[in-house]
Amino acid sequence: MSAHDTSPLAGLGDSLCFALYSANLACGRALKPMLDELGLTYTQWFIVLALADEDGQTVTSLGDKLFLDSSTLTPVLKKMERHGIVQRRRSRVDERQVMVSLTDRGRVLGRQDAGRSLASATSLSPAEVVQARMSAVRVRDSLLGELGRKPAARTKREGLQKRPDPDAA
């Protein structure tokens, strides 16, 4: 197979999915020492980042951004609440909705700049880091589109503007 073969039946070394999967594993391993120091898991770190971008989100919108369903997200949020990182409360507007906000401790954690140290560990230039991230986002969004799922709203940290919700008219 050629190095440009994009077939899902490509060998492991030619597989886009494996490249993304193994890059994700490498990111997790590279962040682990810092996350251990902060007392956070990889998933908890992404929750902190999402709330640092936009605090006071519903569990549903947070799950949409992180591609996690509420049955996966809720136990993690409960543990983070017990550790004083987030606060959960019922919405005053709609009691069926649970709002999630960072505590003071969570805001301090959200200011940690692991992304910069991870980016420097890759030996990529800042422009290459941005390009790699944007390419990964395009792959993710394209795959979600093929599956009939709407991509999550883009975040400030993705360096892209949030997409307007066409259903919110």
Side-chain angles (χ1 to χ4, degrees), residues 37-110:
E37 198 172 291
L38 297 175
L40 295 173
T41 66
Y42 200 42
T43 301
Q44 290 171 338
W45 174 245
F46 290 125
I47 291 169
V48 168
L49 290 180
L51 291 170
D53 278 350
E54 183 182 344
D55 207 7
Q57 298 182 53
T58 65
V59 171
T60 302
S61 74
L62 188 59
D64 287 347
K65 287 182 180 131
L66 298 172
F67 302 93
L68 298 171
D69 59 33
S70 63
S71 64
T72 301
L73 190 55
T74 297
V76 178
L77 291 171
K78 285 181 178 181
K79 184 174 183 178
M80 292 175 76
E81 187 172 40
R82 284 193 306 273
H83 287 97
I85 299 166
V86 299
Q87 176 185 20
R88 298 177 315 127
R89 68 185 186 304
R90 294 270 170 206
S91 168
R92 292 183 183 141
V93 177
D94 182 351
E95 287 189 5
R96 297 171 297 178
Q97 295 289 322
V98 175
M99 305 299 295
V100 184
S101 300
L102 290 171
T103 61
D104 289 341
R105 179 174 179 230
R107 280 187 282 284
V108 168
L109 292 171

Side-chain angles (χ1 to χ4, degrees), residues 4 20 46 92 109 112 120 135 164:
H4 301 291
L20 294 170
F46 290 125
R92 292 183 183 141
L109 292 171
Q112 302 298 316
S120 66
S135 292

